[in-house]
Amino acid sequence: MAGDAPVLEIHDLVKVYRMGEVEVHALKGVNLTVERGEFVAIMGPSGSGKSTLMNIVGCLDRPTSGTYHLDGIDVSRLDRDHRAEIRNDKIGFVFQSFNLLARTRATENVELPLLYSNLGLSTLERARRARQALAQVGLAGREDHYPSQLSGGQQQRVAIARALVTNPAILLADEPTGNLDSRTSEEIIGIFQGLNDAGKTVILITHEPDIAAHAKRVVYVRDGVVWRDERIVQMKAKPGQAVGGAELAAAFPFTVAPAEEPVREEVPR
């Protein structure tokens, strides 16, 4: 792939669910491009189409019409098996609920995507990559701990390491701080910022403006379309402190600026 090509390109994406005789138009022609190395937050209220868009971006579903290219591959018409291959190779998922295997050590949890990959790695190489990924998220020395021996924040770090271990084209994080307190959320967001600063493309799904403020661009989905899409002044995470506070100056729904007073801006209704 050309290094300067967008990592994600979506054109005229439509998703219609049929429930008996009723059609639900979840997406109504979404267009979205994400360049390599971006940190994008996707926001939207319940019923906006945000979750449907995430499922398609994550190759968990496919659109009714329109196109979706991920790392140069048109995945919009792939069948389930091929989508699973692309999903494992190109996307690193981080979920709200961590999704760790309770009776499996941290290294073994991180190794799981490698077991399902086509890389043909040896046991030693899988373990090496898993330990390297855990070190990236600050868990060196905790490799042999079970999830029950780790705090919520540490479990989410294991989940991030698991997402990183295949060196995916994008990290797709769905409400990754939803089960964490405010101070731990700041630590986790700081990890995503560090990974993005190192060149990793991050797409963050959130309904919280103070979390979205840590991205560099915010896409707001409403009624099945992209309502607003803008670059923002990124708020840098401060591990050990609560999210937001006096430094967060946000106008509805998410515009962020470094000024002391909130920015006021007319929003089309």
Side-chain angles (χ1 to χ4, degrees):
M1 293 307 305
D4 57 353
V7 71
L8 185 153
E9 290 183 282
I10 286 173
H11 295 290
D12 298 323
L13 207 66
V14 172
K15 182 63 180 180
V16 179
Y17 293 103
R18 290 178 174 81
M19 302 179 181
E21 298 181 357
V22 177
E23 288 189 347
V24 177
H25 292 257
L27 297 178
K28 304 173 184 177
V30 170
N31 293 286
L32 179 65
T33 298
V34 176
E35 303 292 340
R36 296 177 191 279
E38 283 201 90
F39 189 162
V40 181
I42 298 178
M43 295 187 67
S46 178
S48 64
K50 175 185 64 177
S51 296
T52 300
L53 179 59
M54 187 209 73
N55 286 339
I56 292 174
V57 168
C59 296
L60 297 168
D61 198 358
R62 61 183 183 181
T64 303
S65 63
T67 61
Y68 168 34
H69 287 78
L70 174 61
D71 205 23
I73 301 170
D74 185 355
V75 299
S76 52
R77 292 294 176 264
L78 294 181
D79 61 26
R80 181 179 299 177
D81 290 341
H82 286 101
R83 287 203 312 272
E85 292 177 9
I86 296 297
R87 190 164 61 238
N88 194 63
D89 292 342
K90 301 290 185 181
I91 303 172
F93 287 95
V94 182
F95 299 100
Q96 176 177 337
S97 56
F98 318 145
N99 290 354
L100 302 179
L101 299 180
R103 299 183 181 181
T104 304
R105 294 180 177 87
T107 46
E108 294 165 332
N109 268 288
V110 174
E111 284 181 42
L112 283 175
L114 298 176
L115 289 171
Y116 292 104
S117 73
N118 296 318
L119 298 175
L121 301 177
S122 67
T123 301
L124 288 177
E125 179 61 15
R126 289 198 303 268
R128 186 194 69 80
R129 293 195 184 193
R131 289 176 180 273
Q132 183 181 51
L134 286 165
Q136 274 187 273
V137 299
L139 285 182
R142 305 288 179 93
E143 297 93 344
D144 294 326
H145 284 57
Y146 292 91
S148 61
Q149 298 172 310
L150 300 171
S151 67
Q154 289 170 334
Q155 289 184 58
Q156 191 61 295
R157 287 172 186 252
V158 174
I160 296 171
R162 181 182 59 196
L164 284 171
V165 75
T166 58
N167 191 28
I170 62 172
L171 285 180
L172 183 57
D174 182 18
E175 302 282 2
T177 61
N179 284 346
L180 304 174
D181 61 53
S182 188
R183 293 181 186 277
T184 306
S185 295
E186 193 79 357
E187 294 174 1
I188 295 302
I189 288 297
I191 291 174
F192 283 115
Q193 288 185 338
L195 293 169
N196 177 248
D197 289 343
K200 185 63 67 179
T201 305
V202 180
I203 299 176
L204 172 70
I205 314 297
T206 183
H207 68 278
E208 300 178 84
D210 52 358
I211 295 298
H214 292 79
K216 296 176 181 176
R217 173 185 169 197
V218 181
V219 174
Y220 197 86
V221 180
R222 177 172 167 178
D223 297 330
V225 299
V226 173
W227 183 45
R228 291 178 60 173
D229 181 348
E230 64 184 12
R231 301 191 183 281
I232 64 173
V233 177
Q234 184 184 44
M235 188 173 72
K236 284 295 184 180
K238 294 185 177 181
Q241 298 186 23
V243 171
E247 293 188 4
L248 177 62
F252 179 84
F254 48 68
T255 301
V256 177
E260 293 184 1
E261 296 297 325
V263 173
R264 298 299 178 188
E265 165 177 331
E266 290 297 323
V267 178
R269 299 292 179 178

